[in-house]
Amino acid sequence: MSNVIPRQRVIDGAARLFGELGYDSTPLQLIADALGVSTSTIMKVVGDKRTLYMEVMRQAFEAEWTALDTAVAQAGGGQAAVHEIMDAYLDFHVANPQNRALWAHRWVADAADLSELEDRYARPLFDLVAAKIKGSVPPDVDTYYLLGTMVWCVHGFLGSGLLDRPRGIRRADDPVAVESFRRHLHVLMDRLLAPQAPPPAGRPRAMASN
């Protein structure tokens, strides 16, 4: 086995396996075998499995942050901004299925001992978008729940597809299905962002934390 390998090649190889199998089911030896090097070489180039996973997740976050930060900076205002940011989020994950796979494993308690990653990498993304759209969110809708709804819907569609009306499943590798799903998301967000109806006389207006 070669004892020379670029650091980024190790990270990319590990990211692929962590995305396919999860952190807990990917021993360092498997990563080494896939790359054709020894485990000692990987540890010398990057570090142990935990360190390697943390770097994979950091790079995944940086890529997603760049996409969303650009979308937020370029978005207009009101409901149009929500649509633009949501489109950027959907397009990013369609183009980067490995990022979705890494988080999907975490959602089923993979790498549960590394519990700080959600606050380190998911929360800043929510805060970034929430700061942009909170002025457009009605008082009876929680901004974090609205963003969570977007995340759940996007990842649900990308992970399992949607039943087609006549037969079979429409999946994210079908551009027509993606555009149909995008239109549905726009309608869903518009419903959530619609101004609330005045409460009946004598009934106090419900409030939600934003």
Side-chain angles (χ1 to χ4, degrees):
M1 289 187 178
S2 170
N3 57 6
V4 178
I5 187 170
R7 182 174 186 271
Q8 192 59 46
R9 186 181 164 211
V10 175
I11 295 167
D12 291 343
R16 178 179 60 81
L17 288 171
F18 288 146
E20 291 177 359
L21 304 174
Y23 174 81
D24 294 333
S25 298
T26 305
L28 195 62
Q29 185 63 59
L30 181 61
I31 299 171
D33 290 344
L35 294 170
V37 298
S38 64
T39 56
S40 60
T41 295
I42 290 179
M43 295 187 69
K44 181 178 179 180
V45 172
V46 181
D48 60 12
K49 190 176 94 165
R50 181 190 179 101
T51 303
L52 180 54
Y53 179 72
M54 295 294 286
E55 180 60 17
V56 165
M57 296 303 292
R58 186 193 71 79
Q59 291 193 13
F61 162 74
E62 290 291 344
E64 189 168 350
W65 173 272
T66 298
L68 281 182
D69 188 43
T70 300
V72 167
Q74 295 177 349
Q79 292 187 12
V82 177
H83 286 192
E84 292 166 27
I85 294 168
M86 181 181 63
D87 286 346
Y89 183 80
L90 174 61
D91 291 340
F92 174 82
H93 282 287
V94 169
N96 297 274
Q98 188 167 277
N99 273 51
R100 189 202 69 80
L102 289 167
W103 283 105
H105 282 293
R106 292 195 58 77
W107 295 335
V108 290
D110 185 52
D113 57 318
L114 300 174
S115 59
E116 74 275 15
L117 292 187
E118 281 67 27
D119 280 329
R120 183 181 298 185
Y121 294 139
R123 187 176 300 279
L125 298 173
F126 268 56
D127 289 343
L128 171 70
V129 177
K132 177 70 175 182
I133 71 169
K134 63 182 181 180
S136 302
V137 180
D140 63 335
V141 176
D142 187 286
T143 303
Y144 260 47
Y145 272 106
L146 182 143
L147 293 175
T149 299
M150 177 189 74
V151 170
W152 302 328
C153 288
V154 168
H155 287 273
F157 171 70
L158 297 180
S160 61
L162 184 68
L163 280 172
D164 202 352
R165 286 181 182 277
R167 184 177 181 181
I169 298 288
R170 305 185 73 188
R171 300 191 181 277
D173 58 358
D174 176 1
V176 174
V178 172
E179 293 311 307
S180 176
F181 175 70
R182 188 192 309 277
R183 290 192 296 271
H184 170 74
L185 276 183
H186 285 196
V187 172
L188 177 62
M189 290 297 113
D190 286 346
R191 296 294 189 273
L192 288 171
L193 294 170
Q196 64 184 135
R203 180 178 300 176
R205 183 184 298 269
M207 299 292 290
S209 170
N210 281 296

